[in-house]
Amino acid sequence: QVQLVESGGGLVQAGGSLRLSCAASGRTFSRYAAGWFRQAPGKERDFVAAIDRSAGTINYADSVKGRFTISRDNAKNTVYLQMNSLKPEDTAVYYCAFGMTMSSGWYEYNYWGQGTQVTVSS
């Protein structure tokens, strides 16, 4: 069993930056791929970024390429999402997720955090 806790969300002006963290419990952190997803009110949960077990392969949604960076520190059991040049349309609840397969599909992930709110004002 893996438990995930996100942190780092908040309110920021357009053009600003935030860094989200996802801390995982358990000793099997390095066995899992990790992903970040987001969900705005009234919309579906969308893929943001994913990283494989060794951080050798990374994938981003087109909407965040060049602005967001996903990374992981297996020694600290933590996955990060650095978000730069934030836009109002980035406003959403952000979730981290772990699964055996790196994927852009939310259904591939077995464990989810509780989410952290990111609000970008114009």
Side-chain angles (χ1 to χ4, degrees):
Q1 189 74 9
V2 177
Q3 292 185 327
L4 306 176
V5 178
E6 300 103 334
S7 61
L11 173 64
V12 64
Q13 289 187 334
S17 298
L18 285 173
R19 188 176 82 155
L20 305 183
S21 298
C22 175
S25 64
R27 300 180 181 180
T28 58
F29 177 86
S30 61
R31 296 182 184 179
Y32 294 96
W36 285 96
F37 293 79
R38 65 187 182 186
Q39 189 167 19
K43 295 188 177 181
E44 295 184 350
R45 188 167 297 191
D46 289 333
F47 169 71
V48 175
I51 188 168
D52 72 356
R53 303 173 190 179
S54 63
T57 302
I58 290 173
N59 190 25
Y60 295 99
D62 288 343
S63 58
V64 306
K65 278 182 182 177
R67 299 189 298 123
F68 290 12
T69 302
I70 188 172
S71 62
R72 66 188 296 161
D73 186 337
N74 286 349
K76 295 183 178 180
N77 282 15
T78 303
V79 177
Y80 304 97
L81 185 68
Q82 177 67 43
M83 306 186 295
N84 298 329
S85 302
L86 282 162
K87 304 175 181 179
E89 51 263 43
D90 294 319
T91 295
V93 177
Y94 282 71
Y95 299 90
C96 69
F98 277 25
M100 298 306 296
T101 303
M102 185 183 119
S103 173
S104 60
W106 60 265
Y107 44 84
E108 296 282 1
Y109 293 87
N110 306 105
Y111 303 102
W112 291 83
Q114 82 287 354
T116 185
Q117 177 70 46
V118 171
T119 303
V120 184
S121 63
S122 59

